[in-house]
Amino acid sequence: MKKTTIQDIAKAAGVSKATVSRAIHSPQLVKRNTLNRIQLIMESRDYVYDAVAGDLARKKSSIIGLIIPTIKNSIFSSTVYGIQQKAEEYGYTTLIGNSNYDNETEIRLMKLFQQRRVAGLIVTGLSAGSLKRIESLVQQEVPSVVTWELPDTDTVSFAGFDNFKAAYSMTDYLIRLKHLRIGLIIGPYTKIDRARKRFEGYLAALKNHGIVYDPDLIVECNYTMIDGKEGMHRLLSLTESPTAVFAVSDVLAMGALSAIKEKGLNVPKDISLAGFDDIEFAAFLDPPLTTVKIPAYEMGQLAVKALFDLINSGSKSIKQYRLNTDLIIRESCGEPEGNKGKSIQRNE
Amino acid sequence: MKKTTIQDIAKAAGVSKATVSRAIHSPQLVKRNTLNRIQLIMESRDYVYDAVAGDLARKKSSIIGLIIPTIKNSIFSSTVYGIQQKAEEYGYTTLIGNSNYDNETEIRLMKLFQQRRVAGLIVTGLSAGSLKRIESLVQQEVPSVVTWELPDTDTVSFAGFDNFKAAYSMTDYLIRLKHLRIGLIIGPYTKIDRARKRFEGYLAALKNHGIVYDPDLIVECNYTMIDGKEGMHRLLSLTESPTAVFAVSDVLAMGALSAIKEKGLNVPKDISLAGFDDIEFAAFLDPPLTTVKIPAYEMGQLAVKALFDLINSGSKSIKQYRLNTDLIIRESCGEPEGNKGKSIQRNE
DNA sequence: CAAGAAAATGTAACCGGTTTCATAATCAAT
DNA sequence: ATTGATTATGAAACCGGTTACATTTTCTTG
């Protein structure tokens, strides 16, 4: 049984395809009478509009493409959610691709989406290469916006936040609590720009306070709880282990926390722990996690807003949203034991 | 600047559209020489294949639609991930819609996907209404598979597990630990079939052990940590509070756990706590959470497999995968205090 | 080299809509 | 009833590909 098309409807209603098309999209252009007849026939024949054909004819689609590193980290889910909510308001659907933190995959997905003729693209880019790629997409008239970072360009729209500053402020906070040996558990900062910026923020904070950087305190790993746990175990087995650890992702922090507990240590008495993202469960940990709040949901919404500005302006209106992050002080960080009152050692 | 089409390429290469089309999809049908020429021209003009036009002409698409309750719960993310991984193997992309546990939205999304002419649909259905809808979709030749449950039908493919049994087994386990007052924190079981099945599993276990069902011990709520926390607070403020609580979602359990700690109680000494789903963090909680493991990832993969069987067989081959759930015993459940050795009270 | 088979390419209809422009029908007002 | 404006509809080209079928080219081989 062939699917019903507007042609069929037209014939049955004794009108032309054009009229049926109008009946669907601009009913006010069709006489009451005709309209009713057409609608009745559509009902009775289970007509289903073909959005593919429509998109082709109209030369525009109502799908936006979204590329994120992974759907498995709930912090990205929040952004996705923000995007979907907002996109839906505009009548758009979202096609999601996971790059799995892989550059090749990311590029492949961009191409794929471009082939699908998405109305626009939102990318949580990985590297400088991503940016180049996006600039070229924009030139090829695929409206695109970057999120989760502040790319250094004025030709690309974005809704992001300052990864450097966010990591800086947390490190600074820990230093002010009088920590001198601050461990860092962080994602693959050689591959991912965002992670590198955070790493630099950490470094800069140390430097500003005149603290020497100790490479032994850095654990580079992937973004799972297991990684966090293993990373923390490594730090704890150091001859001179850190008094505070900054896990640059709450997921890592959670893994780290479990490692600490396994060792029978107390947070924050024996060791301070800080996270990054402020995902929902951060507040529910024991102790509640001090972390950096990323406005993931709002960022998603603004990314969509920026995207539609781009779309509606024929790629003219470039919007760049810089969102703030917040230090969320809970109970997982305190002054280092035995260091109370001691002033910070400086290396000059 | 107009986009380059195969027409343009054809003209430039001095061949027909058909040859260009072949060069793209079946290069082995094109002479080496011509092929090279065409490819060169495609390169130089930044030709981007139009998958929309292709899909229309070919009357099939390479997008599969996916409807889940919410992307925000990581347990669904696992299923999504499984689906995306598998779908990608087959060269398909995934369009994701969130129903937000709302029936209307779910139906709207199904229609939307049908209009988009998706190759197939994977639905984490909500209610009996969903099933009806899906049966009708299948009749309209939209290959569809249900997941996350075992619909009672033989005309629809699915990859799911037995929600009743899963909840039954956990409740049974708690009872065998000698708990008599078992609280239940559960999602909106009046609206969501899956939740209702679980509720019934709980009820059946009680009944089988001759324990009277106390409505005061049931908290019906949504699926966030806050809900779990509030729910647990309610249970703890009961005159006769439960000795064990079964939170039918790890997210709820985590909220519940924080409520328990807030009260200064110990798990499992003062109260036992069980979850459902076995999301990644369940093992990392303090104490590690006893829960029911749902094979979310595998389920996603099998759903895709079932879907492609359906697609490739012209909707003939119906596959029904019944997956097992496992009781994961960790440390959050123990015998009730002061009840040790006491035998179970029966109400006959 | 001729002839038949195999390989390469072209022609044109088609997928299911949209939209411009022209024409026909209706309406208001003189 | 006539005219001009307004509203409703139709005809046909178009969107960018695919594909069945026909035709041409190239390859084999006797």
Side-chain angles (χ1 to χ4, degrees):
Chain A
M1 186 185 60
K2 300 262 310 153
K3 258 159 202 148
T4 316
T5 71
I6 56 169
Q7 188 66 270
D8 305 330
I9 306 292
K11 205 180 307 167
V15 297
S16 72
K17 289 201 302 178
T19 303
V20 178
S21 178
R22 288 184 195 109
I24 295 169
H25 301 291
S26 346
Q28 76 283 4
L29 292 183
V30 176
K31 211 195 332 188
R32 254 298 156 77
N33 219 309
T34 328
L35 183 60
N36 288 151
R37 188 153 31 99
I38 292 176
Q39 286 177 334
L40 233 59
I41 296 176
M42 292 201 300
E43 284 285 334
S44 71
R45 309 222 177 172
D46 298 310
Y47 170 74
V48 179
Y49 178 76
D50 188 327
V52 177
D55 279 0
L56 176 60
R58 202 191 305 253
K59 286 162 74 94
K60 67 196 209 62
S61 94
S62 49
I63 293 185
I64 68 176
L66 172 59
I67 299 177
I68 52 170
T70 172
I71 203 180
K72 291 173 81 182
N73 189 324
S74 78
I75 190 66
F76 292 121
S77 301
S78 295
T79 299
V80 173
Y81 194 65
I83 289 172
Q84 288 188 332
Q85 295 282 306
K86 200 75 185 174
E88 200 170 294
E89 281 178 27
Y90 293 84
Y92 282 68
T93 320
T94 318
L95 206 47
I96 301 179
N98 295 179
S99 70
N100 290 316
Y101 294 103
D102 177 61
N103 267 297
E104 304 288 317
T105 310
E106 191 184 59
I107 291 175
R108 200 171 48 67
L109 286 170
M110 288 190 200
K111 284 191 187 151
L112 197 70
F113 286 151
Q114 195 182 0
Q115 293 191 347
R116 279 263 108 77
R117 296 293 189 265
V118 292
L121 210 50
I122 296 179
V123 182
T124 302
L126 299 174
S127 66
S130 309
L131 182 58
K132 283 269 165 298
R133 199 79 215 163
I134 287 164
E135 282 173 335
S136 107
L137 274 179
V138 171
Q139 280 199 333
Q140 288 172 65
E141 293 173 43
V142 182
S144 309
V145 351
V146 170
T147 186
W148 271 81
E149 54 189 309
L150 307 178
D152 185 20
T153 165
D154 50 2
T155 62
V156 173
S157 289
F158 61 75
F161 64 93
D162 189 333
N163 284 277
F164 175 92
K165 213 163 96 186
Y168 183 98
S169 68
M170 177 59 86
T171 312
D172 183 70
Y173 167 72
L174 292 171
I175 296 172
R176 287 177 193 281
L177 282 176
K178 305 204 175 59
H179 290 282
L180 292 171
R181 290 185 64 70
I182 301 173
L184 190 73
I185 304 181
I186 190 167
Y189 55 86
T190 42
K191 274 172 49 194
I192 304 170
D193 264 27
R194 262 190 306 287
R196 192 176 46 70
K197 296 253 180 63
R198 295 177 195 176
F199 180 50
E200 285 165 2
Y202 162 85
L203 248 37
L206 291 189
K207 195 167 179 194
N208 269 4
H209 285 279
I211 299 176
V212 282
Y213 153 63
D214 179 353
D216 284 353
L217 294 178
I218 313 295
V219 175
E220 182 181 1
C221 58
N222 290 317
Y223 282 118
T224 70
M225 289 191 190
I226 302 280
D227 288 298
K229 185 169 187 171
E230 290 175 357
M232 182 55 100
H233 272 306
R234 189 142 15 118
L235 291 176
L236 290 176
S237 63
L238 249 38
T239 349
E240 204 182 349
S241 67
T243 57
V245 170
F246 179 15
V248 194
S249 148
D250 287 349
V251 170
L252 290 174
M254 180 142 189
L257 183 59
S258 98
I260 295 172
K261 289 184 173 174
E262 234 171 65
K263 283 270 181 184
L265 298 175
N266 175 279
V267 175
K269 264 189 74 176
D270 301 315
I271 187 165
S272 288
L273 179 65
F276 195 100
D277 287 344
D278 195 32
I279 59 184
E280 198 192 2
F281 73 53
F284 288 82
L285 290 177
D286 175 30
L289 187 69
T290 289
T291 189
V292 181
K293 180 186 173 76
I294 305 304
Y297 180 81
E298 297 77 0
M299 202 156 53
Q301 299 224 317
L302 286 176
V304 173
K305 227 170 138 208
L307 184 58
F308 284 112
D309 268 346
L310 218 49
I311 292 175
N312 296 325
S313 69
S315 294
K316 294 283 174 272
S317 155
I318 291 166
K319 286 279 197 312
Q320 306 197 320
Y321 296 102
R322 280 159 228 274
L323 294 155
N324 287 322
T325 58
D326 295 306
L327 213 54
I328 305 290
I329 313 262
R330 297 207 179 90
E331 291 144 49
S332 67
C333 295
E335 301 204 344
E337 191 78 341
N339 233 0
K340 314 224 168 179
K342 230 202 253 174
S343 79
I344 294 182
Q345 251 174 3
R346 315 208 167 245
N347 70 325
E348 325 146 73
Chain B
M1 185 186 62
K2 300 263 309 156
K3 258 158 201 151
T4 316
T5 71
I6 56 168
Q7 188 66 271
D8 305 329
I9 305 293
K11 204 179 308 166
V15 298
S16 72
K17 289 200 303 179
T19 303
V20 178
S21 179
R22 287 184 196 109
I24 295 170
H25 301 291
S26 345
Q28 76 283 4
L29 293 183
V30 175
K31 212 199 324 192
R32 254 299 157 76
N33 218 309
T34 327
L35 183 60
N36 288 150
R37 189 154 30 101
I38 291 176
Q39 286 176 334
L40 233 58
I41 296 176
M42 291 202 299
E43 284 285 335
S44 71
R45 309 220 177 175
D46 298 311
Y47 171 73
V48 179
Y49 177 76
D50 188 326
V52 177
D55 279 0
L56 177 61
R58 202 192 308 251
K59 284 159 79 92
K60 68 197 210 52
S61 97
S62 49
I63 292 185
I64 68 175
L66 172 58
I67 299 177
I68 52 170
T70 172
I71 202 181
K72 292 174 79 181
N73 189 325
S74 77
I75 190 66
F76 291 121
S77 301
S78 295
T79 299
V80 173
Y81 195 65
I83 289 172
Q84 288 188 333
Q85 295 282 307
K86 201 76 185 175
E88 199 170 296
E89 281 178 27
Y90 292 84
Y92 282 68
T93 320
T94 317
L95 205 47
I96 301 179
N98 295 178
S99 70
N100 291 316
Y101 294 103
D102 178 62
N103 266 297
E104 304 288 318
T105 310
E106 192 183 58
I107 291 175
R108 199 170 50 67
L109 287 171
M110 289 189 198
K111 284 190 186 153
L112 197 70
F113 286 149
Q114 196 183 359
Q115 293 191 346
R116 278 261 106 78
R117 295 294 189 265
V118 293
L121 210 50
I122 297 179
V123 182
T124 303
L126 300 174
S127 65
S130 309
L131 183 58
K132 284 268 165 298
R133 203 68 224 167
I134 288 164
E135 283 174 334
S136 108
L137 274 179
V138 171
Q139 280 199 333
Q140 288 173 64
E141 293 173 43
V142 182
S144 308
V145 352
V146 170
T147 185
W148 273 81
E149 55 189 309
L150 308 177
D152 185 20
T153 165
D154 50 2
T155 63
V156 173
S157 289
F158 61 75
F161 64 94
D162 189 333
N163 284 277
F164 175 93
K165 212 163 97 186
Y168 182 98
S169 69
M170 177 59 85
T171 311
D172 183 70
Y173 167 72
L174 293 172
I175 296 172
R176 286 176 195 284
L177 282 177
K178 304 205 176 60
H179 290 281
L180 293 171
R181 291 187 63 72
I182 301 172
L184 190 73
I185 305 181
I186 190 167
Y189 56 86
T190 42
K191 274 171 50 193
I192 303 170
D193 264 27
R194 261 190 307 286
R196 192 176 46 68
K197 297 251 181 63
R198 295 178 194 176
F199 181 51
E200 285 165 3
Y202 162 86
L203 248 36
L206 291 189
K207 194 166 178 195
N208 268 5
H209 286 279
I211 299 176
V212 281
Y213 153 62
D214 179 353
D216 283 352
L217 293 178
I218 313 296
V219 175
E220 182 181 3
C221 58
N222 290 316
Y223 283 117
T224 70
M225 290 193 189
I226 301 279
D227 287 298
K229 185 168 187 172
E230 290 175 356
M232 182 55 99
H233 271 306
R234 191 144 11 122
L235 291 175
L236 290 177
S237 63
L238 249 39
T239 350
E240 206 181 347
S241 68
T243 58
V245 171
F246 180 14
V248 195
S249 149
D250 288 349
V251 171
L252 289 175
M254 179 141 190
L257 183 59
S258 98
I260 295 172
K261 289 184 174 175
E262 235 172 63
K263 283 268 183 186
L265 298 174
N266 176 278
V267 175
K269 266 190 71 173
D270 301 316
I271 186 166
S272 288
L273 179 65
F276 195 101
D277 287 344
D278 195 31
I279 59 184
E280 198 192 3
F281 73 51
F284 288 81
L285 290 176
D286 173 30
L289 188 69
T290 288
T291 188
V292 181
K293 182 187 171 75
I294 305 305
Y297 181 80
E298 297 78 359
M299 201 156 55
Q301 300 223 317
L302 286 175
V304 173
K305 227 170 138 208
L307 184 59
F308 284 112
D309 268 347
L310 218 50
I311 292 176
N312 297 325
S313 69
S315 296
K316 295 283 175 275
S317 155
I318 291 166
K319 287 279 196 313
Q320 305 196 321
Y321 296 103
R322 282 159 228 274
L323 295 161
N324 287 322
T325 58
D326 294 306
L327 213 53
I328 305 290
I329 313 259
R330 297 208 178 91
E331 291 144 50
S332 67
C333 296
E335 302 204 342
E337 191 76 343
N339 233 3
K340 315 225 165 176
K342 230 201 254 173
S343 81
I344 293 184
Q345 252 173 2
R346 315 209 167 247
N347 70 326
E348 327 143 75

